Amino acid sequence: MKPLILCLAAFLVAAAASGDDDEDPHTAAREAMVQQQIEDRGVHDPAVLAAMRAVPRHRFVPEEHAHRSYDDHPLPIGEHQTISQPYIVAVMTQLLRLDSDDRVLEIGTGSGYQAAVLGEIAAEVYSIEIVPSLGLRAAAVLRDLGYDNVHVRVGDGYAGWPTRAPFDAIIVTAAPPQVPQPLLDQLAPGGRLVVPEGDAIQQLVLYTRQEGPDGPVFDRKPLLGVRFVPMTGEVRRH
Ligand code: SAH
């Protein structure tokens, strides 16, 4: 009888050490975030809500701010950059109308959080970050969490990722004065692109590629006022 009891005791100790509470103490905060900040404000796409419930946002936030991960605002991630407010991540993701077989390009990996949300829904995500330390950290967190379908590259996103184009959806998470033309050119037919355009005053704009008689035309819809960090690099020379 004794060995069995010992075994059971060992099992209980092991279970306590790796117990549910230990696994993710942020589940309740994340659930409240999704309900109060996202669903209650009108985001209804079930895939987006499921993704926001699934991604452990606290893992993408520097440790000293982890306790505020699920609060209703952006947070600093170092290098004068920020992880977007959860609601804005949800709104932008919903605007992309993603399918499970879509290929998505993101400009501005930052913490990698938005890329993970996209990776929960779409088939492949390609994300470019201009600040090397941020890109490397994001890639490591994404790898750690098993997001094998999210590919991060360090570089200037101005020219997009031509060898992986075309994309069904493109999301720009740093603000250019105007959307870079190479990004529009990498949209697949019917593709959607969402971008915060402007400097002092920014607007979230949705572009949709449609096929005209003389080639693609881009429907442009300004949607709401936003505040993003500026897009840097090549776009400032145009
Ligand atoms: N999507 C991010 C938030 C991004 S903040 C997240 O979920 O955390 C915007 C990011 O865009 C910053 O990390 C900034 O360094 C990056 N960025 C700015 N200009 C860029 C450019 N030209 N190409 C690629 N990344 C750029």
Side-chain angles (χ1 to χ4, degrees), residues 99-115:
D99 262 343
S100 56
D101 54 1
D102 277 356
R103 295 157 43 75
V104 187
L105 174 67
E106 178 188 34
I107 307 303
T109 316
S111 68
Y113 175 68
Q114 172 77 72

Side-chain angles (χ1 to χ4, degrees), residues 9-192:
F11 171 77
L12 288 176
V13 169
S18 71
D20 280 351
D21 287 353
D22 244 29
E23 246 167 49
D24 191 348
H26 299 269
T27 305
R30 190 158 59 245
E31 181 57 33
M33 170 194 89
V34 173
Q35 273 181 25
Q36 294 160 20
Q37 300 172 35
I38 296 170
E39 274 191 288
D40 289 358
R41 292 185 192 151
V43 174
H44 46 72
D45 182 332
V48 174
L49 298 175
M52 302 289 297
R53 283 196 164 93
V55 179
R57 182 171 161 95
H58 59 280
R59 292 289 304 274
F60 296 88
V61 167
E63 217 153 322
E64 68 265 33
H65 301 303
H67 62 288
R68 296 194 290 154
S69 309
Y70 297 94
D71 292 358
D72 193 12
H73 46 67
L75 284 170
I77 55 171
E79 310 284 348
H80 310 289
Q81 307 302 325
T82 54
I83 177 175
S84 306
Q85 178 190 13
Y87 172 69
I88 291 293
V89 172
V91 165
M92 290 175 81
T93 308
Q94 176 167 269
L95 284 170
L96 295 177
R97 291 187 280 112
L98 297 176
D99 262 343
S100 56
D101 54 1
D102 277 356
R103 295 157 43 75
V104 187
L105 174 67
E106 178 188 34
I107 307 303
T109 316
S111 68
Y113 175 68
Q114 172 77 72
V117 171
L118 298 169
E120 288 281 338
I121 306 173
E124 300 294 333
V125 178
Y126 298 88
S127 185
I128 306 177
E129 170 55 51
I130 203 166
V131 177
S133 61
L134 293 178
L136 295 176
R137 182 181 182 276
V141 174
L142 289 161
R143 192 179 334 110
D144 225 40
L145 292 171
Y147 286 101
D148 300 334
N149 63 335
V150 180
H151 317 278
V152 178
R153 204 188 83 189
V154 169
D156 189 333
Y158 179 85
W161 197 324
T163 55
R164 295 288 181 267
F167 300 99
D168 303 292
I170 300 179
I171 177 170
V172 185
T173 66
Q178 275 187 342
V179 68
Q181 186 62 37
L183 298 182
L184 288 175
D185 293 340
Q186 287 173 29
L187 273 185
R192 293 79 57 199

